[in-house]
Amino acid sequence: MRQYRDYKAVFAGIPKPFAYVDLDLLAENIRQIAARAGGKRIRIASKSLRCVDLMKRIMNADNLFQGVMCYSPLEALYLADRGFDDLLIGYPACEPEQLARIGRYAKEGKQMTLMVDSAAHVELIEAAAEREGVCIPVCIDIDMSLDVPGLHFGVWRSPLRSLEAVADLMRLIAASKRVRLEGIMDYEAQIAGVGDRMPGQRLKNTVVHWLKRRSAREVRERRAHAVQLAGELGQPLRFVNGGGTGSLQTTALEPAVTEVTAGSGFYAPALFDYYRDFRLLPAAGYAVEIVRRPRYDLYTCAGGGYIASGSAGREKLPSPYLPAGAELLPLEGAGEVQTPVRYRGDEPLELGDPIFMRHAKAGELCERFDRLLLVSQGRIVGEARTYRGDGQCFL
Ligand SMILES: Cc1ncc(COP(=O)(O)O)c(C=O)c1O
């Protein structure tokens, strides 16, 4: 594990705030993710990385890493220009001009796949493809949530909840000259994105763990049926995508799955500390500067309030990381311009010193910083521009 003193020495003289990636810990996370994928191909989730250099570094680390799951058509086009191929746009897009641009790319032979979950999506893509005189590949997003009495365990994304609905959409695509089915994606968010080792929540953890196991069995069946259906309807699939960092070990075991997705696990933000089945290393973080000391044990820092998206609970706050034992105050959290941190440990802290923090989620940190300082073997070995540093802001 990293020590406060070591990081403080490594970054001495660097103006704060700054963000960093510890390449040695990143390499360990890459190895672990590759091992958990059990030989299946891994598509990297760009939303959780948002840095071209690091995405390339991951792709080059192991042959298992192939293809990107992007989060918007403009982002996919941007990555295609930077040499990435096999770009799956993981979420539906409706803007006609953006769809047309994807069509023009398809014409050049690049593999870029749009996501659909309804006839309306297919019709929009078909209209754009018609105008461009191309055939655009699509992937069907099938809902994998689990409904138990009183609880919808999962996310509200795709309306495709029954095999009949999937069959109808597959038939519609099969009948189209301008849209071609390439793959199926079913993301089991309730397994991949929900921790089951949350501090102070023993009972909830037990229930979540049980729900996850039950859900995994159902997901496996539903996915297998959807793949079988595609075969029966004469729709060969180039890929069947599932999972995320939090579910690699269960998703990869399914025979129907040809590839898994992973993104967050590379940086391993704080929310990924709380899963029973794996332990990743905190590879990314940021440092804020102590600028005031309102009480002997309180160190107020400049900025630092980078709250993660999603339902707005305490777990979406960033966490003080080093020095170990530092914590946020419940009534102030992490602020836009000031973040008080309580620390009663032995490390002497002065004004101007750093407090190292970790974001709750992975990629959003890169929307706050132009660059990531790259650290290896106890020194800064380079830096990598984030999407923001490239002047890009997609969502
Ligand atoms: C469609 C889809 N697949 C996979 C993932 C998993 O990504 P990560 O590994 O960053 O948790 C996500 C995350 O939200 C997603 O939306």
Side-chain angles (χ1 to χ4, degrees):
M1 284 324 291
R2 300 294 184 246
Q3 302 296 329
Y4 175 74
R5 265 168 228 200
D6 298 338
Y7 267 175
K8 187 176 163 186
V10 168
F11 295 108
I14 304 284
K16 296 170 272 301
F18 60 81
Y20 68 89
V21 167
D22 188 317
L23 294 178
D24 304 326
L25 301 186
L26 174 71
E28 199 45 54
N29 290 342
I30 292 174
R31 269 195 290 281
Q32 211 196 108
I33 287 171
R36 280 175 62 221
K40 294 271 161 86
R41 275 180 299 155
I42 304 165
R43 188 176 285 281
I44 61 170
S46 61
K47 76 163 188 78
S48 306
L49 292 159
R50 302 188 200 208
C51 171
V52 168
D53 281 0
L54 290 181
M55 285 162 60
K56 287 193 171 163
R57 184 181 283 264
I58 293 166
M59 292 300 244
N60 291 332
D62 195 306
N63 287 338
L64 287 177
F65 296 111
Q66 288 177 37
V68 181
M69 179 178 287
C70 310
Y71 57 94
S72 91
L74 293 183
E75 186 216 4
L77 292 163
Y78 172 71
L79 292 179
D81 282 345
R82 265 142 202 84
F84 290 89
D85 200 5
D86 193 355
L87 299 153
L88 170 64
I89 301 163
Y91 315 87
C94 299
E95 218 271 303
E97 177 47 31
Q98 290 185 13
L99 298 178
R101 286 183 62 188
I102 300 289
R104 291 199 281 280
Y105 241 92
K107 229 185 238 175
E108 292 172 23
K110 283 263 181 191
Q111 259 175 8
M112 210 177 267
T113 309
L114 283 163
M115 194 60 65
V116 298
D117 66 29
S118 59
H121 289 149
V122 174
E123 283 153 20
L124 279 166
I125 296 169
E126 201 162 28
E130 186 73 47
R131 281 195 301 278
E132 299 300 322
V134 287
C135 182
I136 298 183
V138 295
C139 173
I140 296 184
D141 180 348
I142 305 174
D143 177 71
M144 283 291 147
S145 55
L146 173 73
D147 276 311
V148 286
L151 176 71
H152 177 78
F153 192 48
V155 285
W156 289 103
R157 294 191 186 178
S158 172
L160 296 175
R161 255 165 241 123
S162 69
L163 214 51
E164 294 74 47
V166 175
D168 287 347
L169 193 59
M170 282 183 180
R171 283 194 198 96
L172 182 76
I173 295 169
S176 164
K177 284 198 192 63
R178 296 289 179 197
V179 177
R180 183 179 77 247
L181 185 63
E182 279 243 306
I184 288 178
M185 182 196 79
D186 5 48
Y187 174 48
E188 55 274 57
Q190 69 279 13
I191 304 174
V194 181
D196 49 6
R197 205 175 60 90
M198 300 301 282
Q201 302 183 8
R202 255 178 90 177
L203 185 62
K204 189 172 166 199
N205 287 337
T206 309
V207 174
V208 168
H209 188 66
W210 180 82
L211 282 169
K212 282 168 76 149
R213 282 176 56 183
R214 177 167 161 200
S215 182
R217 284 198 299 274
E218 201 176 301
V219 164
R220 183 189 175 98
E221 258 173 46
R222 278 153 74 179
R223 194 147 33 210
H225 286 148
V227 172
Q228 193 186 341
L229 179 68
E232 285 164 12
L233 295 175
Q235 296 284 291
L237 299 171
R238 182 168 71 84
F239 62 85
V240 178
N241 177 289
T245 295
S247 76
L248 291 178
Q249 65 288 339
T250 49
T251 311
L253 284 178
E254 290 182 35
V257 167
T258 65
E259 58 173 51
V260 288
T261 300
S264 303
F266 299 110
Y267 294 164
L271 276 175
F272 282 83
D273 292 348
Y274 306 122
Y275 283 71
R276 280 196 200 187
D277 293 338
F278 58 89
R279 299 278 186 283
L280 293 156
L281 301 176
Y286 64 99
V288 286
E289 181 171 46
I290 300 171
V291 290
R292 316 172 106 170
R293 199 163 171 190
R295 204 173 70 187
Y296 78 99
D297 60 346
L298 292 179
Y299 301 87
T300 299
C301 304
Y306 310 141
I307 317 297
S309 62
S311 61
R314 279 190 64 73
E315 72 282 6
K316 298 295 164 48
L317 287 168
S319 329
Y321 167 43
L322 294 171
E327 57 188 6
L328 296 179
L329 302 181
L331 291 184
E332 281 199 57
E336 188 185 6
V337 287
Q338 298 270 276
T339 296
V341 172
R342 181 166 46 217
Y343 177 66
R344 292 177 181 157
D346 296 336
E347 205 61 62
L349 299 178
E350 307 286 343
L351 299 195
D353 281 346
I355 299 278
F356 294 94
M357 310 275 292
R358 289 168 67 212
H359 197 254
K361 289 175 76 177
E364 292 168 2
L365 180 63
C366 291
E367 298 295 339
R368 296 294 191 157
F369 292 93
D370 286 347
R371 59 184 185 147
L372 299 164
L373 298 173
L374 305 178
V375 182
S376 177
Q377 307 286 320
R379 61 192 186 89
I380 298 174
V381 293
E383 59 182 58
R385 277 206 312 272
T386 60
Y387 279 7
R388 175 176 166 156
D390 290 338
Q392 303 296 328
C393 179
F394 301 107
L395 284 180

